[in-house]
Amino acid sequence: MIDRPLKPQWFQILLALSTQDRHGYGIQRAVLEQTDGHMRLWPTMLYRSLSRIREAGLISKADPPAEDLEDERRQYYTLTKTGRALLAEEARLLARWADAALGAEF
C-alpha cells in the first residue's frame, strides 16, 4: 500500500523519471531544476527513497544508454506503468488542491 498523498520527494523523483531514464545524480539534478532549487535530495534520502519506490513497484532498474555503457557504477531507473499512472493521479490531486487554495479568500 502506498501512502497518499505521496511524499514530496517521491513525487519529484517520479516526475524526474517521467521524461527519461536517469541515474541517481541525474535525478538529483532534475529535482533541483524542476523545483527551482527548493528541493535538494541528499544522497541518503535519494537512495532510500529510490529503494522504497522500487519496492512499491513504481520504478525499476533500466539499461544504461549506449553512451554510458562503460560506467558500471551508475544505476539507471525508469518509471513503470504503475508509477506513471500514480504520478498522473497524484498530479490531478495536487491540481485540485491548488485550485481550491487559489479560489479561497484569505
Side-chain angles (χ1 to χ4, degrees), residues 75-105:
Q75 300 228 346
Y76 279 77
Y77 300 91
T78 190
L79 207 50
T80 64
K81 186 176 181 180
T82 302
R84 193 168 295 282
L86 184 68
L87 176 62
E89 196 177 301
E90 190 77 4
R92 286 189 291 274
L93 173 67
L94 294 174
R96 282 195 311 270
W97 289 356
D99 287 346
L102 291 170
E105 293 184 31

Side-chain angles (χ1 to χ4, degrees), residues 5-78:
L6 289 176
K7 295 176 183 178
Q9 68 269 22
W10 283 32
F11 179 79
Q12 293 299 331
I13 290 168
L14 295 178
L15 186 59
L17 292 171
S18 69
T19 56
Q20 69 183 66
D21 297 348
R22 299 178 192 270
H23 53 73
Y25 183 64
I27 294 169
Q28 279 182 311
R29 287 191 344 244
V31 168
L32 198 57
E33 185 177 309
Q34 67 201 22
T35 63
D36 294 325
H38 292 284
M39 182 180 288
R40 181 178 302 273
L41 298 179
W42 299 104
T44 302
M45 177 191 284
L46 172 66
Y47 289 102
R48 185 178 301 135
S49 295
L50 286 171
S51 176
R52 290 187 177 142
I53 294 169
R54 191 167 167 233
E55 287 171 10
L58 305 178
I59 63 172
S60 62
K61 288 192 177 177
D63 293 328
E67 65 270 6
D68 206 13
L69 287 175
E70 294 182 18
D71 193 345
E72 296 172 3
R73 296 169 298 165
R74 290 184 175 167
Q75 300 228 346
Y76 279 77
Y77 300 91
T78 190

